């Protein structure tokens, strides 16, 4: 009987300790790849190990997540630092911590051998006319091919699944798309024409800065929970970088159609895992990219971006080297 009471005492103590942990609320896309990271944190109790409790809310769109953050319903969301700069310009003390450096690609038909072959072709664009990757490609084509990518191609804008089908069905000659859709296309036999990271490097944006990460209004999240969250993100990234069993557990969520597709997604994700804190070189790369986007993105992009402010990258350090 005394052992029973001792066990119950341990259980009550554990529950009480868990109840005392600060909570970190995050809104994510229901089917976004960030869920692979969130599930890894939860499956390994990395939140508890780092002194907080993770509370994940899945939403239907990025816009819904941004609204939730601005309304104070969650502590952080996944976004790019361009949006964070926009909110800083509006008066919020937004901060940003990158979690992936994987960028998109331009995928193409086999008969497209280089960027200059895109002239006069139909090109699918994910993310709309002011998509950052599309603007980078405009700058690169203007430099290397001496024609205007927007006016001398027929751009078709749409959601990633639709644009992938347009390419596989032959309705477009190339598509600029997000990294995970590019990985699925490549596994299915489509040809990568150029990676956006390589395009940035060619344009002098080197190192190409990470774009995607977690953003929050400084002072809103519990500071202990926030730092613990960022440490658990780093720890989960290390697991996903090295442990194939962790990927086997994620397989039902990934929904890969073939083994080749699963492997392509896993390897592309691993290539983008960030294992070091944000550096001065990252800030310099971000400024170079920002200047490029402002120069080539026109009024529509400029309206989405606030002034460049390096303070947006002032986030808690996690000790990565």
């Amino acid at each position: 009987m005394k052992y029973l009471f001792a066990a119950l005492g341990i259980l009550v103590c554990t529950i009480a300790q868990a109840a005392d942990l600060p909570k970190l609320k995050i809104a994510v896309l229901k089917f976004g790849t960030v869920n692979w990271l969130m599930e890894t944190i939860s499956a390994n109790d990395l939140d508890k190990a780092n002194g907080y409790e993770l509370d994940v809310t899945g939403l239907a769109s990025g816009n819904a997540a941004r609204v939730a953050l601005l309304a104070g319903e969650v502590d952080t969301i996944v976004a790019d630092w361009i949006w964070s700069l926009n909110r800083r310009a509006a008066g919020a003390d937004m901060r940003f911590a990158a979690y992936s450096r994987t960028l998109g690609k331009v995928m193409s038909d086999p008969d497209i051998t280089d960027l200059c072959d895109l002239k006069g072709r139909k090109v699918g664009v994910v993310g709309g006319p002011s998509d950052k990757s599309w603007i980078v490609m405009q700058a690169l084509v203007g430099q290397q091919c001496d024609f205007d990518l927007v006016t001398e191609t027929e751009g078709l804008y749409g959601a990633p699944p639709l644009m992938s089908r347009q390419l596989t069905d032959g309705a477009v000659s190339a598509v600029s798309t997000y990294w995970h859709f590019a990985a699925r296309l490549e596994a299915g036999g489509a040809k990568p024409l150029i990676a956006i990271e390589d395009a940035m490097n060619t344009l002098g944006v080197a190192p190409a800065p990470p774009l995607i990460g977690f953003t929050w209004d400084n002072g809103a999240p519990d500071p202990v929970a926030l730092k613990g969250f960022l440490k658990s993100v780093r720890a989960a990234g290390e697991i996903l970088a090295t442990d194939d069993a962790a990927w086997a557990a994620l397989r039902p969520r990934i929904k890969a159609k073939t083994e080749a597709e699963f492997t392509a997604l896993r390897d592309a994700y691993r290539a983008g895992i960030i294992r070091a804190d944000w550096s001065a070189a990252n800030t310099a790369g971000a400024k170079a990219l920002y200047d490029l986007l402002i120069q080539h993105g026109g009024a529509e992009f400029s309206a989405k971006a606030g002034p460049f402010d390096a303070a947006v990258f002032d986030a808690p350090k996690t000790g990565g080297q």
Side-chain angles (χ1 to χ4, degrees), residues 26-321:
I26 181 171
V28 299
L29 290 178
K30 284 183 179 180
F31 306 108
T33 59
V34 70
N35 286 288
W36 307 349
L37 189 64
M38 298 299 103
E39 286 199 14
T40 303
I41 291 173
S42 297
N44 292 276
D45 288 327
L46 295 174
D47 54 344
K48 310 297 190 302
N50 286 285
Y52 77 101
E53 181 181 353
L54 181 63
D55 183 354
V56 181
T57 299
L59 298 177
S61 70
N63 187 57
R66 290 188 288 271
V67 169
L69 179 65
L70 296 178
E73 296 172 359
V74 297
D75 297 309
T76 187
I77 62 171
V78 173
D80 60 42
W81 47 263
I82 297 293
W83 185 79
S84 301
L85 289 175
N86 176 284
R87 298 318 305 164
R88 285 186 71 84
D93 186 11
M94 299 301 291
R95 304 296 173 91
F96 172 88
Y99 84 88
S100 176
R101 63 174 58 258
T102 303
L103 302 173
K105 291 183 178 181
V106 177
M107 307 296 295
S108 71
D109 285 341
D111 64 330
I112 302 292
T113 59
D114 61 39
L115 291 174
C116 300
D117 287 340
L118 294 178
K119 187 173 183 178
R121 307 281 191 132
K122 291 182 179 179
V123 180
V125 181
V126 170
S130 59
D131 175 72
K132 293 173 288 298
S133 295
W134 183 233
I135 296 172
V136 168
M137 293 311 303
Q138 292 172 45
L140 187 58
V141 167
Q143 180 190 89
Q144 294 191 341
C145 306
D146 198 28
F147 73 87
D148 187 284
L149 187 61
V150 174
T151 60
E152 297 192 59
T153 62
E154 183 180 344
L156 302 178
Y157 305 102
L162 174 60
M163 291 298 100
S164 293
R165 287 196 299 272
Q166 293 287 304
L167 181 63
T168 56
D169 292 345
V172 297
S173 297
V175 60
S176 173
T177 192
Y178 302 145
W179 73 265
H180 43 302
F181 287 92
R184 292 182 191 272
L185 284 168
E186 192 167 356
K191 185 182 76 174
L193 184 62
I194 189 170
I196 300 304
E197 180 177 1
D198 293 338
M200 288 185 188
N201 289 334
T202 300
L203 289 163
V205 179
L211 273 170
I212 296 298
F214 303 103
T215 190
W216 63 92
D217 194 336
N218 196 41
D222 182 286
V224 172
L226 177 64
K227 185 165 186 177
F229 171 68
L230 295 178
K231 289 177 70 175
S232 68
V233 166
R234 178 66 52 78
E238 289 296 326
I239 290 172
L240 291 173
T242 58
D243 187 356
D244 288 349
W247 285 95
L250 292 172
R251 199 161 191 144
R253 179 178 283 277
I254 293 173
K255 300 184 187 303
K257 295 178 182 178
T258 65
E259 187 66 27
E261 186 172 288
F262 174 79
T263 301
L265 288 163
R266 183 198 65 197
D267 292 352
Y269 185 97
R270 280 177 163 172
I273 291 172
I274 294 175
R275 300 168 113 163
D277 288 323
W278 189 271
S279 66
N282 291 139
T283 299
K287 179 60 165 64
L289 176 59
Y290 174 88
D291 290 343
L292 179 81
L293 294 172
I294 290 294
Q295 178 184 354
H296 295 276
E300 185 174 353
F301 179 82
S302 296
K304 293 183 177 182
F308 189 84
D309 184 351
V312 75
F313 303 116
D314 185 12
K317 305 298 183 184
T318 59
Q321 299 296 322

